[in-house]
Amino acid sequence: MPPNSPFVPDFSNNDGLVAAIAQDAATGEVLMVAWMNAEAYEETVRTGRAVYYSRSRGRLWRKGEESGHVQVVRAIHVDCDDDAILLKVEQVGAACHEGYRSCFFRQVTPTGLQIVAERLVDPSKVYRGESPVPPD
Protein backbone atom coordinates (compact mmCIF):
# COMPACT_ATOMS: atom_id res chain seq x y z
CA MET A 1 0.00 0.00 0.00
CA PRO A 2 1.38 3.45 -0.80
CA PRO A 3 2.04 5.89 2.07
CA ASN A 4 -0.89 8.12 2.98
CA SER A 5 -3.42 5.76 1.40
CA PRO A 6 -6.68 5.41 3.31
CA PHE A 7 -5.28 2.22 4.83
CA VAL A 8 -1.85 3.37 6.03
CA PRO A 9 -1.07 6.00 8.67
CA ASP A 10 1.33 8.82 7.84
CA PHE A 11 4.73 7.77 9.20
CA SER A 12 6.55 10.75 7.63
CA ASN A 13 6.59 12.88 10.82
CA ASN A 14 7.64 12.44 14.45
CA ASP A 15 10.70 10.31 13.58
CA GLY A 16 8.45 7.86 11.74
CA LEU A 17 6.26 7.14 14.76
CA VAL A 18 2.53 7.48 15.36
CA ALA A 19 0.62 7.10 18.61
CA ALA A 20 -1.17 3.77 19.02
CA ILE A 21 -3.99 3.39 21.51
CA ALA A 22 -5.02 -0.10 22.59
CA GLN A 23 -8.68 -0.35 23.60
CA ASP A 24 -10.53 -3.42 24.83
CA ALA A 25 -12.75 -4.46 21.91
CA ALA A 26 -15.54 -5.70 24.19
CA THR A 27 -15.66 -3.07 26.94
CA GLY A 28 -14.12 0.04 25.38
CA GLU A 29 -11.62 0.37 28.25
CA VAL A 30 -8.41 2.12 27.20
CA LEU A 31 -5.61 -0.29 28.03
CA MET A 32 -2.46 1.51 26.96
CA VAL A 33 -0.81 4.02 24.65
CA ALA A 34 2.36 3.19 22.76
CA TRP A 35 4.12 4.01 19.49
CA MET A 36 4.16 2.32 16.10
CA ASN A 37 6.46 2.73 13.15
CA ALA A 38 5.64 1.46 9.65
CA GLU A 39 7.24 -1.93 10.34
CA ALA A 40 5.26 -2.44 13.56
CA TYR A 41 2.06 -1.42 11.80
CA GLU A 42 2.67 -3.80 8.88
CA GLU A 43 3.40 -6.72 11.20
CA THR A 44 0.31 -5.94 13.29
CA VAL A 45 -1.88 -5.92 10.17
CA ARG A 46 -0.26 -9.09 8.82
CA THR A 47 -0.30 -11.15 12.05
CA GLY A 48 -3.34 -9.86 13.92
CA ARG A 49 -1.19 -9.40 17.05
CA ALA A 50 -0.22 -5.99 18.44
CA VAL A 51 3.35 -4.94 17.68
CA TYR A 52 4.73 -1.60 18.81
CA TYR A 53 7.98 0.32 18.52
CA SER A 54 9.73 0.84 21.85
CA ARG A 55 11.68 4.08 21.91
CA SER A 56 13.56 3.05 25.06
CA ARG A 57 14.60 -0.30 23.56
CA GLY A 58 15.10 1.09 20.06
CA ARG A 59 13.35 -1.87 18.44
CA LEU A 60 10.03 -3.53 17.71
CA TRP A 61 8.19 -4.73 20.77
CA ARG A 62 5.82 -7.61 20.21
CA LYS A 63 3.25 -7.25 22.98
CA GLY A 64 3.57 -10.26 25.25
CA GLU A 65 7.00 -11.36 24.02
CA GLU A 66 8.21 -11.71 27.62
CA SER A 67 5.00 -11.88 29.64
CA GLY A 68 2.75 -13.88 27.32
CA HIS A 69 0.15 -11.12 27.76
CA VAL A 70 -0.61 -10.62 24.07
CA GLN A 71 -3.13 -8.39 22.36
CA VAL A 72 -5.20 -10.06 19.66
CA VAL A 73 -6.26 -7.32 17.25
CA ARG A 74 -9.96 -7.30 16.39
CA ALA A 75 -10.06 -3.98 14.49
CA ILE A 76 -7.70 -1.20 13.42
CA HIS A 77 -8.81 2.41 13.04
CA VAL A 78 -6.76 5.35 11.74
CA ASP A 79 -7.71 8.89 12.73
CA CYS A 80 -8.69 11.66 10.31
CA ASP A 81 -5.15 13.11 10.17
CA ASP A 82 -3.54 9.70 9.57
CA ASP A 83 -1.29 10.23 12.61
CA ALA A 84 -2.83 8.03 15.29
CA ILE A 85 -3.95 4.41 15.40
CA LEU A 86 -6.67 2.86 17.52
CA LEU A 87 -6.36 -0.88 18.02
CA LYS A 88 -9.42 -2.65 19.34
CA VAL A 89 -7.97 -5.71 21.00
CA GLU A 90 -8.69 -8.78 23.01
CA GLN A 91 -6.25 -8.46 25.89
CA VAL A 92 -4.82 -11.71 27.25
CA GLY A 93 -3.56 -11.03 30.78
CA ALA A 94 -2.30 -7.64 31.93
CA ALA A 95 -1.69 -4.84 29.42
CA CYS A 96 0.50 -2.86 31.82
CA HIS A 97 4.12 -3.74 32.55
CA GLU A 98 3.33 -3.03 36.21
CA GLY A 99 0.87 -5.93 36.26
CA TYR A 100 -2.44 -4.10 35.89
CA ARG A 101 -5.09 -4.78 33.25
CA SER A 102 -4.75 -1.18 32.01
CA CYS A 103 -1.85 1.27 32.18
CA PHE A 104 -4.42 3.79 33.44
CA PHE A 105 -4.70 2.27 36.92
CA ARG A 106 -4.05 5.56 38.75
CA GLN A 107 -6.50 8.42 39.19
CA VAL A 108 -5.66 12.03 40.00
CA THR A 109 -7.42 13.12 43.19
CA PRO A 110 -7.14 16.23 45.38
CA THR A 111 -4.72 14.29 47.61
CA GLY A 112 -2.59 12.91 44.78
CA LEU A 113 -2.52 9.82 42.61
CA GLN A 114 -4.64 6.94 43.86
CA ILE A 115 -4.47 3.37 42.57
CA VAL A 116 -8.00 2.48 41.43
CA ALA A 117 -7.49 -1.03 40.06
CA GLU A 118 -6.24 -4.38 41.24
CA ARG A 119 -2.85 -5.67 40.15
CA LEU A 120 -3.38 -8.88 38.16
CA VAL A 121 0.17 -10.21 38.23
CA ASP A 122 3.44 -9.61 40.02
CA PRO A 123 5.76 -8.01 37.44
CA SER A 124 8.86 -9.53 39.06
CA LYS A 125 7.48 -13.00 38.31
CA VAL A 126 6.20 -12.20 34.82
CA TYR A 127 9.43 -10.57 33.65
CA ARG A 128 11.82 -13.27 34.87
CA GLY A 129 12.59 -11.39 38.07
CA GLU A 130 13.96 -8.44 36.12
CA SER A 131 12.52 -4.97 36.27
CA PRO A 132 10.61 -4.47 33.01
CA VAL A 133 11.51 -1.58 30.75
CA PRO A 134 8.45 0.63 30.26
CA PRO A 135 7.36 0.29 26.63
CA ASP A 136 6.97 4.05 26.04
Side-chain angles (χ1 to χ4, degrees):
M1 284 180 266
N4 301 320
S5 79
F7 308 108
V8 179
D10 181 0
F11 293 103
S12 66
N13 298 308
N14 198 26
D15 294 325
L17 301 175
V18 298
I21 300 101
Q23 179 184 43
D24 186 285
T27 68
E29 178 184 20
V30 175
L31 300 173
M32 57 178 276
V33 177
W35 297 97
M36 279 188 167
N37 63 7
E39 185 180 4
Y41 177 77
E42 184 280 324
E43 187 173 325
T44 298
V45 170
R46 183 173 43 79
T47 66
R49 296 284 177 103
V51 178
Y52 302 102
Y53 181 82
S54 171
R55 296 176 303 169
S56 59
R57 296 173 185 170
R59 65 172 177 82
L60 291 186
W61 165 52
R62 292 162 183 89
K63 181 70 175 136
E65 64 189 13
E66 289 183 46
S67 66
H69 298 169
V70 300
Q71 292 174 341
V72 179
V73 178
R74 297 298 180 207
I76 301 173
H77 298 257
V78 178
D79 79 335
C80 59
D81 293 323
D82 295 328
D83 63 359
I85 298 166
L86 174 64
L87 300 177
K88 293 193 178 189
V89 302
E90 178 184 328
Q91 177 66 50
V92 177
C96 179
H97 74 279
E98 292 193 26
Y100 294 88
R101 173 162 173 74
S102 168
C103 293
F104 298 94
F105 62 90
R106 301 176 297 171
Q107 181 177 343
V108 176
T109 71
T111 59
L113 288 176
Q114 300 294 316
I115 294 176
V116 295
E118 284 189 49
R119 182 173 268 160
L120 299 180
V121 296
D122 180 347
S124 67
K125 294 179 181 172
V126 172
Y127 297 99
R128 301 179 196 116
E130 300 172 13
S131 178
V133 176
D136 74 355

